[in-house]
Amino acid sequence: MLPYSLEIVPTGDEALDEAIAGVSQLGRLRELAPTDAFGLVGRALGDLERLDAALRSEGYYAGRARIEIAGLPLPVTPDLAERLARVEAPVPVRILVEPGPRYRITSVAVRPATPADAAAVAAVVAEPFGLAPGDPATAAAVLDAGETLLDRLRRAGHPLPADVERTVVVDHRDRGMEVEFVLAPGPRSRFAPPRVVGQVRTDAVFLQRLAGRIAGQPYSPERIERVRRDLRTLGVFAAVRARPAERLDAAGTLPVTFEVEERPPRAVGFSLAYETDFGPTGRIYWEHRNLLGGAERLRLEADVYRLETGRGGADDFGFRIGGSLRSPFLYGRDLTLTADGFALRDRLRAYDRDVAIASLLLERQLTDRLAVLGGPLAEFGRVGREDDMRPVQLLGATLGVRWDGTDSLLDPRRGWRVAFTATPAYEMHETIVFARLRLTASAYWDVTGDGGSVVALRGALGSVAGAERDRLPLDQRFYAGGGGSVRGYTYQAIGPRDATGRPVGGASLVEGSIELRQRLWGELGGVLFLDAGTVGRDPLLPDLGDLRFGAGVGLRYRTVIGPIRADVAVPLNRGAGESRGYGFYLGIGQAF
């Protein structure tokens, strides 16, 4: 074996340098497959052809590549392999590329394959498609432009378009390239009733009803992707693949097959989180993902947490135990039913709570972005403080609307969200009727276009109408401070207090946050943030002069289930008892 070292002399064009390194077997096989002198010469000779192809792919049609082994040029040195036997290892190898002038696109033409195709082809070239005179004559640009044209034809309802001819003429005198595409759009089509295959425990009729909503609709890749996504979000399948047919059926419609792979139906798991206010929080759960064969998810869970209220004692902790049942796509529509029932024990700074809560929520997805929801709720138990626990008997309803135009649930980089919920309720013990209103919105800007730098904004407004604050149960008031609110401040500590210094909450709320999320290296990112918030006694907006501000830094590590989050925050204008001086928060997913 003959060890060798490799130097690729930079050309000044980063893309060309990457292409050279990518095609060179001298580089890829240097450590993976050691070779002798004859093998080294053979690799180098093969690289010469690959380097010429790399030059042309980047638009350098007059470029020249050279390789020197131990200072001797290929292929003109006779008996090179024998001479290398006398060279001290490792043998130095150099790749030298002289790009020369870069060729440019001089003309681009797109023609229909037949006169009948003219209108469809004209529609797809009405907007720029990534290739124009003056652009570098790179192979990738030509291929991408052709794929863009075909993709536009598919989106226009042609499921089987073809690039029947692509002509590329290189003019070395003018250092230019002429490109011509000839397109055959194929017929417009509608979907045949799709098939779902691969299921074992899931009801085939249920799946057919879900996927069959596209039957008879005009073909579009977006409709296929929506069905694939709907099947995936059921939570039953580990993988869902869509396979459109390669030809239309006898009726002129396009068959589509969705291939699914089921996950194990049962799962047990746990999660841990930490905040300085809560201390450690633990959750354990058991769930069945497909209870009756229609992707019904039954989940039983228990949370235990300890809030550092400063009281001390072995009973200074909280818990939540209960379960939920979620049934998606009721009656073949984008309608999801969720039933929850939990027993809660809270020992917070603002109040103590020992209650049972139950709710039934119907959510209808009107579009890919817009959803409405509503359903009844109930709460029974006792809420108050150690020496003044009062009965609570509350019946109400949740009504809401949500718009989500972001690109990710746990790690959004662009788009915006807005949600409004109204919770009218009747408290039977105090005989009061009130409505809790909350509006939240967030927006995300991908500054660099590649997710490397993202600016995120969040705002929230809240109001309780229909009853004075002091008549409201303590757990129905608004509070601010802590993780998910104003970081750096103690949980629930911002806002009005009683004579003993304990928070009493408010009937109105204002919150806002701004974050700069910056990718640092690989999957690791950093965050700078500023939070603000306050609550007021009256249902109208609280006094903005009472806003409390918190600022901090954080780290994010991206995983397949979302970013792992660690934040440290400090208060900027804290009042007495509102903060210990810092806050530390650890969890999964972005803060908002």
Side-chain angles (χ1 to χ4, degrees):
M1 295 298 103
L2 182 64
Y4 63 92
S5 62
L6 177 65
E7 177 190 5
I8 301 177
V9 178
T11 64
D13 183 331
E14 184 176 347
L16 178 59
D17 292 342
E18 290 180 0
I20 291 170
V23 302
S24 172
Q25 288 194 359
L26 285 169
R28 293 205 309 270
L29 301 179
R30 184 171 64 88
E31 295 183 358
L32 292 176
T35 187
D36 57 16
F38 289 95
L40 176 58
V41 173
R43 280 184 193 176
L45 290 172
D47 263 9
L48 285 175
E49 295 181 5
R50 287 183 282 271
L51 295 173
D52 285 341
L55 281 164
R56 293 193 298 273
S57 72
E58 293 299 321
Y60 296 99
Y61 286 86
R64 176 171 174 264
R66 295 183 293 117
I67 297 178
E68 295 178 353
I69 302 179
L72 303 173
L74 280 177
V76 298
T77 303
D79 304 324
L80 178 56
E82 291 82 355
R83 297 173 67 173
L84 291 179
R86 299 188 292 271
V87 178
E88 183 179 351
V91 175
V93 180
R94 298 181 78 211
I95 294 178
L96 304 98
V97 176
E98 300 170 4
R102 194 174 206 181
Y103 285 34
R104 299 280 170 175
I105 301 294
T106 55
S107 67
V108 182
V110 182
R111 294 193 299 105
T114 68
D117 299 329
V121 171
V124 301
V125 298
E127 299 290 335
F129 52 90
L131 194 67
D135 291 346
T138 63
V142 175
L143 295 174
D144 289 347
E147 188 53 42
T148 297
L149 293 170
L150 294 178
D151 184 63
R152 289 183 181 179
L153 287 170
R154 295 185 190 100
R155 293 177 182 275
H158 302 270
L160 304 172
D163 180 358
V164 297
E165 184 179 343
R166 183 189 306 123
T167 304
V168 175
V169 178
V170 176
D171 186 339
H172 292 282
R173 183 182 62 182
D174 294 334
R175 296 172 180 169
M177 175 187 288
E178 299 175 356
V179 182
E180 182 181 69
F181 299 96
V182 179
L183 302 180
R188 292 179 182 270
S189 180
R190 295 180 178 271
F191 287 108
R195 297 173 60 235
V196 182
V197 299
Q199 71 273 15
V200 178
R201 306 173 189 88
T202 310
D203 182 21
V205 175
F206 166 76
L207 294 177
Q208 188 61 44
R209 189 170 63 231
L210 189 159
R213 293 174 303 164
I214 64 172
Q217 295 187 14
Y219 168 84
S220 78
E222 291 83 1
R223 287 189 172 96
I224 294 178
E225 175 57 23
R226 181 176 180 183
V227 173
R228 193 199 68 80
R229 187 175 64 248
D230 287 344
L231 289 168
R232 187 73 175 87
T233 56
L234 290 175
V236 175
F237 305 117
V240 180
R241 290 174 289 273
R243 185 164 51 83
E246 296 181 354
R247 59 179 59 88
L248 303 182
D249 61 16
T253 57
L254 182 72
V256 180
T257 300
F258 294 93
E259 300 173 345
V260 299
E261 181 181 329
E262 289 191 354
R263 304 166 66 191
R266 298 172 183 82
V268 176
F270 70 94
S271 63
L272 297 173
Y274 181 82
E275 293 186 18
T276 47
D277 293 333
F278 286 91
T281 298
R283 170 179 297 174
I284 185 169
Y285 68 87
W286 173 92
E287 70 177 18
H288 196 300
R289 301 180 176 124
N290 199 7
L291 188 64
L292 303 175
E296 303 88 354
R297 188 190 72 179
L298 174 65
R299 183 182 178 108
L300 306 178
E301 60 186 65
D303 300 356
V304 179
Y305 50 87
R306 179 181 176 86
L307 278 163
E308 298 179 7
T309 59
R311 305 178 202 168
D315 65 343
D316 188 13
F317 70 95
F319 67 77
R320 186 184 75 135
I321 184 168
S324 64
L325 176 65
R326 179 179 181 272
S327 182
F329 291 97
L330 293 177
Y331 310 114
R333 298 177 178 271
D334 285 327
L335 186 64
T336 300
L337 171 68
T338 303
D340 291 320
F342 288 92
L344 285 83
R345 167 194 166 95
D346 287 326
R347 294 297 182 264
L348 310 178
R349 288 178 176 81
Y351 57 83
D352 296 341
R353 179 166 65 159
D354 296 306
V355 298
I357 61 174
S359 66
L360 194 66
L361 192 67
L362 282 170
E363 181 175 332
R364 175 68 187 272
Q365 197 75 32
L366 300 178
T367 70
D368 286 347
R369 305 295 189 183
L370 181 63
V372 294
L373 52 92
L377 60 86
E379 177 180 336
F380 291 88
R382 299 187 308 156
V383 177
R385 292 171 176 172
E386 305 100 315
D387 54 353
D388 187 21
M389 297 290 286
R390 301 184 180 183
V392 169
Q393 301 170 353
L394 187 145
L395 295 175
T398 298
L399 305 170
V401 60
R402 182 179 67 250
W403 171 274
D404 190 341
T406 61
D407 59 345
S408 172
L409 179 64
L410 292 177
D411 190 14
R413 300 178 183 180
R414 58 180 65 88
W416 56 280
R417 296 171 176 162
V418 62
F420 173 76
T421 56
T423 311
Y426 171 57
E427 208 291 306
M428 293 181 285
H429 183 73
E430 294 288 339
T431 62
I432 58 173
V433 177
F434 62 93
R436 211 166 180 269
L437 311 174
R438 185 178 177 92
L439 175 68
T440 61
S442 56
Y444 310 88
W445 287 271
D446 186 351
V447 178
T448 57
D450 61 356
S453 297
V454 176
V455 174
L457 298 176
R458 177 188 72 92
L461 297 174
S463 177
V464 181
E468 296 180 355
R469 182 203 64 178
D470 292 342
R471 295 197 65 197
L472 293 170
L474 286 168
D475 64 335
Q476 298 299 316
R477 303 176 189 180
F478 287 110
Y479 300 88
S485 177
V486 185
R487 286 164 285 186
Y489 289 80
T490 301
Y491 181 69
Q492 295 184 332
I494 295 175
R497 293 169 177 267
D498 62 14
T500 67
R502 294 182 68 171
V504 294
S508 57
L509 167 78
V510 172
E511 288 181 346
S513 299
I514 181 171
E515 287 193 352
L516 172 61
R517 301 169 181 173
Q518 178 65 47
R519 183 188 302 139
L520 300 177
W521 179 75
E523 304 301 326
L524 185 65
V527 172
L528 298 174
F529 59 85
L530 176 68
D531 297 336
T534 189
V535 297
R537 178 185 180 90
D538 298 322
L540 299 179
L541 287 177
D543 184 356
L544 298 184
D546 293 332
L547 277 173
R548 294 292 187 262
F549 295 88
V553 299
L555 290 175
R556 304 288 186 270
Y557 185 80
R558 293 199 313 174
T559 70
V560 294
I561 60 173
I564 296 174
R565 179 179 78 253
D567 292 334
V568 177
V570 296
L572 300 183
N573 60 334
R574 61 173 171 160
E578 291 181 341
S579 174
R580 70 178 66 207
Y582 71 93
F584 176 67
Y585 311 91
L586 181 66
I588 296 178
Q590 296 287 4
F592 59 89

